[in-house]
Amino acid sequence: MLSFPESHSAASVTAASEKEMLEKRLELFKNMETAVQLPWYYLAAADQYERSIRQARNDVESVKGNISITINPAQWSGALNPNQADTNPFSISVFNGIGKDGNGDNVADLTSDDDRLFTFANHLLAYGTDEDNIRIGLWNFYKRDKAVGIIIGNAKLFKKFNRIDLQEKAFPVPIRTDYTYRSTWGVARGWGGRRSHEGTDIFAHYSLPVRSTCYGIVEMKGWNKFGGWRVGIRDINNTYHYFAHLNGFKDGIKVGDIVEPGQVIGGVGSSGYGPPGTSGKFPPHLHFGMYKDNGRIEWSFDPTPHLRAWERKELSK
């Protein structure tokens, strides 16, 4: 049994810098890959998905270590196990629990980062190591198609960039160009029926480049009667970035593509409010929206504070 880095208590994690936490987390994933021969980025992707869920909900416990993957005690110890806090690997297996000892101390501790990650890795390994079988293993663990898609997207990002620190953001149009915006989130809209505005409008000239705001996966591309030509990108925090009213798309961009902050995805336009190709019913602008998924539902929130923070950061460079 390989030994893994010592799990951190909540206090030590709080005291450590973000960089140190990310380095320790990545070390855990890569050591686990060595131990079980499962690509580290699938483990990192599932952990990141659960981390984003915890940040978006107040009905789940905060992370007690450096790994966010959660396993139900009944699943860990076995549904019929009279001792739901069982840490004995043998008795856990007798009751068909999935909990395992990941660091060689002969204890299967649900609160241990090593044990929990090792157990999750073995769950996936039971289905296989190729992507199709990993998808099956993920579905059987999360019972949610959207969760599987998000995790696979995260894995593609981690694999491509070989790191888990992918939080960099960019303003959606080039800084120091001719544009203007203010918070318009929640303002009433009338076309197509009574509704509220789920984003911020950035007014600019036709064809001004529109850029990805994040590292992410292109989840949606095409026409919407409200948004016109639009692109949707999901980042590793399970936030959906929505770009609408474009005058067109960057050549070659397609659903499933990996994008980076600042990468051009299209241009400012005035498309929308009608059938495909409708344009010119309002001044050219980019509608930028942000949506959060919490594992159950997805909702919009005001992107303006984020836009101002990204703008300030780029202006300071």
Side-chain angles (χ1 to χ4, degrees):
M1 183 72 67
L2 293 180
S3 60
F4 299 102
E6 184 178 348
S7 300
H8 290 264
S9 66
S12 65
V13 168
T14 302
S17 69
E18 180 67 17
K19 182 178 179 181
E20 290 172 335
M21 285 192 294
L22 289 169
E23 288 174 348
K24 288 291 184 182
R25 199 175 300 147
L26 183 57
E27 187 178 1
L28 275 167
F29 298 139
K30 292 198 170 183
N31 281 345
M32 193 61 67
E33 177 184 62
T34 301
V36 301
Q37 299 302 299
L38 181 73
W40 69 269
Y41 40 83
Y42 289 115
L43 302 174
D47 179 77
Q48 182 62 34
Y49 170 73
E50 294 209 31
R51 192 171 303 277
S52 70
I53 296 301
R54 289 174 181 271
Q55 293 170 348
R57 285 167 54 179
N58 55 16
D59 63 338
V60 292
E61 293 184 5
S62 59
V63 180
K64 291 185 171 62
N66 210 10
I67 297 297
S68 286
I69 292 170
T70 305
I71 300 174
N72 184 283
Q75 188 180 14
W76 181 273
S77 301
L80 299 179
N81 192 333
N83 178 14
Q84 287 293 287
D86 197 354
T87 61
N88 185 308
F90 176 74
S91 56
I92 287 174
S93 66
V94 167
F95 287 100
N96 295 315
I98 68 170
K100 296 186 182 299
D101 169 23
N103 55 13
D105 63 358
N106 295 315
V107 173
D109 182 1
L110 182 56
T111 66
S112 163
D113 284 343
D114 298 332
D115 293 357
R116 204 162 59 255
L117 188 60
F118 183 67
T119 298
F120 180 76
N122 273 272
H123 166 81
L124 294 183
L125 280 173
Y127 296 88
T129 57
D130 61 284
E131 184 176 309
D132 287 343
N133 282 310
I134 286 174
R135 283 178 178 271
I136 295 171
L138 289 170
W139 192 91
N140 280 311
F141 191 85
Y142 292 103
K143 307 295 185 183
R144 187 180 186 230
D145 289 338
K146 191 167 188 176
V148 175
I150 292 169
I151 291 169
I152 293 298
N154 287 347
K156 289 178 179 178
L157 288 164
F158 293 148
K159 179 182 180 181
K160 177 177 175 62
F161 297 104
N162 196 34
R163 59 191 176 94
I164 58 176
D165 181 15
L166 298 175
Q167 298 293 347
E168 181 186 348
K169 300 295 189 297
F171 195 70
V173 298
I175 294 297
R176 298 185 179 89
T177 57
D178 189 11
Y179 64 83
T180 183
Y181 70 99
R182 62 183 177 85
S183 178
T184 51
W185 184 80
V187 174
R189 288 290 188 269
W191 190 89
R194 187 175 178 83
R195 57 197 172 88
S196 63
H197 191 232
E198 296 184 347
T200 295
D201 290 335
I202 303 175
F203 289 88
H205 297 296
Y206 275 107
S207 300
L208 184 70
V210 172
R211 312 183 301 171
S212 172
T213 45
C214 60
Y215 288 100
I217 302 291
V218 177
E219 196 170 278
M220 181 72 70
K221 174 198 170 187
W223 181 267
N224 174 284
K225 67 179 181 179
F226 295 102
W229 301 117
R230 89 288 197 222
V231 173
I233 298 170
R234 191 169 300 275
D235 69 17
I236 65 166
N237 298 315
N238 200 5
T239 301
Y240 184 73
H241 300 233
Y242 179 69
F243 308 78
H245 303 317
L246 304 177
N247 72 343
F249 308 111
K250 180 70 175 178
D251 289 345
I253 192 166
K254 60 186 183 300
V255 171
D257 279 356
I258 292 173
V259 292
E260 304 179 36
Q263 180 178 334
V264 175
I265 58 174
V268 171
S270 61
S271 62
Y273 284 21
T278 303
S279 184
K281 289 193 172 184
F282 39 77
H285 67 277
L286 169 68
H287 168 101
F288 177 70
M290 297 180 76
Y291 297 77
K292 178 63 73 173
D293 174 82
N294 70 358
R296 295 175 179 169
I297 60 172
E298 189 169 73
W299 70 94
S300 72
F301 59 94
D302 187 359
T304 309
H306 298 273
L307 290 169
R308 298 207 182 282
W310 303 338
E311 183 182 38
R312 285 195 302 269
K313 186 170 182 179
E314 287 197 56
L315 286 171
S316 69
K317 293 180 180 179

